[in-house]
Structure formats: C-alpha cells, structure tokens
Amino acid sequence: MNRIGKIFEIGYLIVAVIFAYETIARWNTEREKAYIFIAMCGLAIFMFFFRRRMRIKREKYLDRSNK
C-alpha cells in the first residue's frame, strides 16, 4: 500500500513537470491556456505535498497501532 502511495506522489510531480513545460511552450502564443496550465501545475504540486503528508501520517498511525 505504501508503494502505491509513493507511486502516485511521483505521478503528481511528473504531471506538474508536464504542465510547467506546456506553460513555457504556450506562453507567447496562447497566454490564456498558459494561465490554466500554471494553475494545474500548482494544483499538482499541492496534491503531491498533501498526499505525501497524509501517507506519512498514515504510516505513523499504523506503526503505533501495530505495537
């Protein structure tokens, strides 16, 4: 279960990098779409840290309950 959580965390970072690339690629031609990609990149980074924090909390909780 923890491995799946880590895979999803890495997936959010990969998605954030893709959105950042798309932002840079579209900045001069389609500024409106670039702003949407910036927002999505920020959301992906937020989700990375949020999921990471929840996974660590869950691991600590499970470690305490198994002792």
Side-chain angles (χ1 to χ4, degrees):
M1 184 81 165
N2 290 334
R3 187 172 16 166
I4 293 173
K6 290 179 184 180
I7 290 171
F8 276 108
E9 289 173 15
I10 293 169
Y12 281 119
L13 285 181
I14 291 169
V15 168
V17 168
I18 292 169
F19 283 139
Y21 173 78
E22 287 295 323
T23 300
I24 293 168
R26 296 176 191 263
W27 187 256
N28 289 327
T29 58
E30 299 173 292
R31 185 74 51 107
E32 296 83 21
K33 287 186 180 181
Y35 288 132
I36 293 172
F37 283 119
I38 289 173
M40 296 303 288
C41 180
L43 181 64
I45 292 170
F46 168 77
M47 286 300 297
F48 165 76
F49 286 111
F50 179 76
R51 294 289 301 251
R52 181 173 179 247
R53 184 172 159 228
M54 289 296 120
R55 179 183 53 83
I56 291 170
K57 278 186 174 183
R58 186 175 55 244
E59 287 174 357
K60 287 181 182 178
Y61 175 77
L62 292 175
D63 286 343
R64 279 187 280 155
S65 65
N66 288 336
K67 290 182 181 181

